[in-house]
Amino acid sequence: MFEWLWNFIFCQGDSPVNDKDAIVKKSRKEADEWAAKRRACIEESKVAYRNGEHKKAKKLSKEAKKCCEKMEEANLNAAKDILKPQRSKEIGILDLHGLYLEEAKAATDQFLDHWTSYPEKSRPE
C-alpha cells in the first residue's frame, strides 16, 4: 500500500512550506469528506439489509468501498506532499509531523532501509 513512498520520500520538492501546508490540509479535508460519505453508505447499507433490501444494501456497500478507496488516495496524496520536499536522501533527516501512524511507520521503515544500506562514511553528518 505504501510503495509510493519509495518513489516520493527522497524527491526534492520546490513548493514553499505554506503552499505545502495548504495542499496537505486540502487533501486531509478531502479524505475526511470521503470518510463521512463512507460511513453514511455503511449505515444506509445496514438499514437496507435489515429491511430485506439486499440489492440496495450490496450497492451501498460497493459505494462505501469506492469511498474508502478515494479516502485512502487523498490521504496518500497528503503524505506524499509532506514527504516529497524533505530531501531525506540527501540530508539524512526525516520529519514525520503531519503523517498518520501507518504512513509514518512506512516512511520510517523505508528511510531506515535506505540509510542502513549505505556505509557509515558516506552518510551525512
Side-chain angles (χ1 to χ4, degrees), residues 1-2 4 71-81 103:
M1 181 170 160
F2 294 101
W4 58 270
M71 176 190 69
E72 289 174 353
E73 181 182 337
N75 277 324
L76 290 175
N77 287 335
K80 286 181 208 177
D81 291 331
E103 297 165 349

Side-chain angles (χ1 to χ4, degrees), residues 2 4-5 9 20 24 28 75-86 88 94-109 111:
F2 294 101
W4 58 270
L5 280 173
I9 193 171
K20 180 190 81 162
V24 170
R28 293 295 192 202
N75 277 324
L76 290 175
N77 287 335
K80 286 181 208 177
D81 291 331
I82 290 168
L83 294 170
K84 187 174 180 178
Q86 290 191 24
S88 301
L94 178 63
D95 182 359
L96 302 174
H97 288 93
L99 296 176
Y100 291 155
L101 179 62
E102 292 302 318
E103 297 165 349
K105 286 170 33 177
T108 301
D109 287 344
F111 176 82

Side-chain angles (χ1 to χ4, degrees), residues 29-110:
K29 182 179 180 192
E30 181 184 344
D32 290 344
E33 290 168 359
W34 283 113
K37 289 176 185 177
R38 178 180 171 257
R39 281 190 300 274
C41 287
I42 289 170
E43 288 306 313
E44 287 181 49
S45 176
K46 288 178 185 179
V47 170
Y49 189 84
R50 280 188 227 122
N51 292 335
E53 301 174 79
H54 299 286
K55 285 185 180 181
K56 182 179 178 182
K58 182 70 171 176
K59 181 182 174 187
L60 287 164
S61 178
K62 286 181 180 180
E63 191 174 332
K65 287 179 185 178
K66 288 179 185 177
C67 290
C68 185
E69 290 170 6
K70 295 285 189 179
M71 176 190 69
E72 289 174 353
E73 181 182 337
N75 277 324
L76 290 175
N77 287 335
K80 286 181 208 177
D81 291 331
I82 290 168
L83 294 170
K84 187 174 180 178
Q86 290 191 24
R87 298 183 12 237
S88 301
K89 186 175 185 179
E90 293 123 27
I91 61 174
I93 298 172
L94 178 63
D95 182 359
L96 302 174
H97 288 93
L99 296 176
Y100 291 155
L101 179 62
E102 292 302 318
E103 297 165 349
K105 286 170 33 177
T108 301
D109 287 344
Q110 291 181 8

